[in-house]
Amino acid sequence: MKIRAAVLESFGAPLEVQELELAEPRTGEVLVRLVACGVCHTDLFTASGADPSGYSPTVLGHEGAGVVERVGEGVTSLSPGDHVVTLFSPQCRECVHCLDPRTNLCLAIREQQGQGFLPDGTTRLSREGEPVRHFMGTSTFAEATVIPEIALAKVNPEAPLDRACLFACGLSTGLGAAMNTARVEPGSTCVVFGAGMVGLGAVAGCRLQGAERILCVDLSEERLELARGQGATETLVGGPDTVERILELTGGFGADYTFEATGNVGVMRQAVESARMGWGLATVCGVAGKGESLAVVPRFLITGRRVAGSSFGGVKGRDQVPQLVERWLAGEIDVEPFVSHKLTLDEVNRGFELMEAQDGIRSVIDLT
C-alpha cells in the first residue's frame, strides 16, 4: 500500500514528507493505521546527527498510537480494530530480561531494531524499490506502519489516541522512573530536575507513589507552574546554586529520591549531589549528547548515595502501558496539559522548531 511519511534523508536537514510503499505484515507483525504521534526529543536527537547510532534514510517517529488494520501469521494477542500504543521498548514476555522483574530491556529483537530493521532483518518500507529503514522499530511519522506484535500495547478503546500516544514514550518514561525504577516510598522527599514531558511524568509518578514533598527544578516559570498541576509541592528556578538551595530546604541532608530529566550532564551531577546522604537515589532519565560523560565525586557514593539509569521508566510495555492508560482514564493522571500543539504530518518540522524553542510540552501530529 502507498502511504505518506516523514523521511530523514540526511542529518541536520528538514524531514521530507514523501510517498512510500508499505508492504504487508509478515509472521509476527502487525499493520497499524496511525492516528496520532507525539514529536519527541529523541526524534530531533537523531535528525540532528547527534545520535552516534543514527542512520538514514529512515522514517522517524516512535510516540505513536493507532488502530490495528491487519495482522500477520502467528499473531495472537491483537486483532483488526484493536487500539494500540507503539512500543520502542518491546516486551516478548519470553526472554531472560522479560522474565526478570529487575529490567524492561527486552532482548528479543534488540539487534535488528537498532539497525533499522524488523526482526527478520528486512524492512516493510521502500521507495522505488529501495528499502527505507524503520526507526526504533516503530516509524510513526507516517499514515501507517508495520510493527512487531511484541512492540504494541493494546489499550482501552475509550482512550483518545491523540493523548494515549504520549504513553508510548515520554509520559511513561517519567511515570515509570518514579514508580518502577526508584520505587518512591510514601512520605518521602523527591526532587525532579526538568519539567518537560519526562520530568512532569516523574512529578506525577512521585505523587501517585505518595511522596510527601515533591520539588521540581526548571529554568521556566511556565513549566514549573505545570509541575504544580502534576503534584509538585515546591518549585525552584535552576542555577549553579541549585544543590545548595536543595540542601537548605532538606535540613542539610538532600532528598530521598532525585530524578534527572534534561539530558544535561551538569544537571545529572546536581541530581547526584542533591540526593540524601545515607540512602539517596538519583535516577537518570535524560539522554546525554554524543561523547559526554557524567563526573561524580566518589565521596558522594561512598557516603551512601546511589545512581540508577532508567530506560522507558522500567515499564514493561505490553503489560504496564495499558495499566497506566487506565489510571489516566480513572482521573489519576492529568494528560491534557501536556498537549501544547496539534500539527499535521506536513508540519512535522514545525514540531522540532517548537521543541527547540521550548514552546509547550508536546506537539502531537494528527495523522487522520
Side-chain angles (χ1 to χ4, degrees), residues 207-235:
R207 171 180 55 80
L208 291 171
Q209 291 291 104
E212 182 176 336
R213 295 179 69 187
I214 306 170
L215 173 63
C216 188
V217 182
D218 198 272
L219 300 177
S220 165
E221 292 280 9
E222 184 179 355
R223 289 189 170 199
L224 290 175
E225 187 59 34
L226 289 173
R228 286 190 175 275
Q230 295 299 323
T233 58
E234 301 157 75
T235 57

Side-chain angles (χ1 to χ4, degrees), residues 13-139:
L15 304 189
E16 299 179 20
V17 178
Q18 305 173 3
E19 186 175 83
L20 301 180
E21 288 286 345
L22 179 66
E24 291 296 309
R26 298 182 184 177
T27 301
E29 299 172 358
V30 178
L31 192 154
V32 177
R33 179 67 65 174
L34 292 159
V35 171
C37 179
V39 181
C40 178
H41 186 269
T42 306
D43 301 305
L44 176 60
F45 185 63
T46 297
S48 70
D51 182 357
S53 63
Y55 44 79
S56 65
T58 183
V59 174
L60 294 183
H62 62 286
E63 201 172 75
V67 180
V68 172
E69 195 161 287
R70 288 190 287 282
V71 300
E73 185 178 346
V75 173
T76 58
S77 66
L78 293 169
S79 302
D82 286 343
H83 287 213
V84 291
V85 165
T86 63
L87 300 172
F88 72 90
S89 182
Q91 183 191 1
C92 73
R93 297 176 174 153
E94 296 176 355
C95 74
V96 64
H97 278 189
C98 281
L99 295 174
D100 195 310
R102 292 175 294 182
T103 184
N104 65 327
L105 298 178
C106 177
L107 300 171
I109 60 176
R110 195 172 184 84
E111 184 176 348
Q112 294 291 356
Q113 181 182 355
Q115 297 177 52
F117 302 117
L118 291 183
D120 67 356
T122 65
T123 77
R124 302 296 160 267
L125 295 164
S126 64
R127 179 181 53 203
E128 297 178 353
E130 292 299 316
V132 174
R133 285 196 268 180
H134 300 256
F135 178 65
M136 297 178 74
T138 54
S139 287

